[in-house]
Amino acid sequence: QVQLVESGGGSVQVGGSLRLSCAASGYTYSSSSYCMGWFRQAPGKEREGVAAIYTSGGSTYYADSVKGRFTISINNAHDTLYLEMNSLKPEDTAMYYCAANKFICPLSRGKPTASFVAWGQGTQVTVSS
């Protein structure tokens, strides 16, 4: 099972930027055979898919609410996943989780779903005005 550890969360003002990182280890298959994703969950709300990427370097997927503001990427060694977040809004405040899934990106209407098999513990992002 893939182990995932997020970092980089914090407090930022509206319009600011943050970069989240997720350290990945323990791939049971080739590290280029996974889909990695970022999710977020605000208090009282369901977990929401934010972005996803194939580790093979292929397609990326974004929720409409973050398109043009957030960028998902992964390093060449496939051991660190990133989420660059710009133009942050108060509604981006949430616990952010990274996730991994073998072979496919579970998607619905172009947005990652919570069907990933491995999850990190989360990192808090707070955007204040």
Side-chain angles (χ1 to χ4, degrees):
Q1 185 77 305
V2 180
Q3 290 82 50
L4 303 167
V5 180
E6 303 93 337
S7 61
S11 297
V12 64
Q13 291 191 326
V14 170
S17 299
L18 279 175
R19 186 174 80 160
L20 305 183
S21 299
C22 173
S25 61
Y27 289 111
T28 55
Y29 287 84
S30 167
S31 63
S32 61
S33 301
Y34 283 78
C35 175
M36 306 292 289
W38 284 100
F39 292 77
R40 64 186 181 187
Q41 188 167 20
K45 294 189 176 181
E46 291 187 355
R47 190 166 295 190
E48 174 192 24
V50 173
I53 185 170
Y54 280 102
T55 56
S56 59
S59 301
T60 55
Y61 307 90
Y62 295 93
D64 287 343
S65 58
V66 305
K67 280 181 183 176
R69 300 189 299 122
F70 290 12
T71 303
I72 188 171
S73 62
I74 191 163
N75 67 347
N76 290 336
H78 304 151
D79 59 10
T80 308
L81 178 72
Y82 300 101
L83 185 69
E84 187 76 37
M85 305 186 295
N86 299 311
S87 302
L88 284 162
K89 305 175 181 180
E91 51 264 42
D92 295 318
T93 295
M95 185 71 79
Y96 282 71
Y97 300 89
C98 69
N101 200 63
K102 286 183 288 190
F103 308 130
I104 64 169
C105 283
L107 301 170
S108 176
R109 298 181 181 180
K111 187 170 79 169
T113 69
S115 300
F116 286 62
V117 297
W119 294 85
Q121 294 300 307
T123 186
Q124 178 68 37
V125 172
T126 303
V127 184
S128 58
S129 56

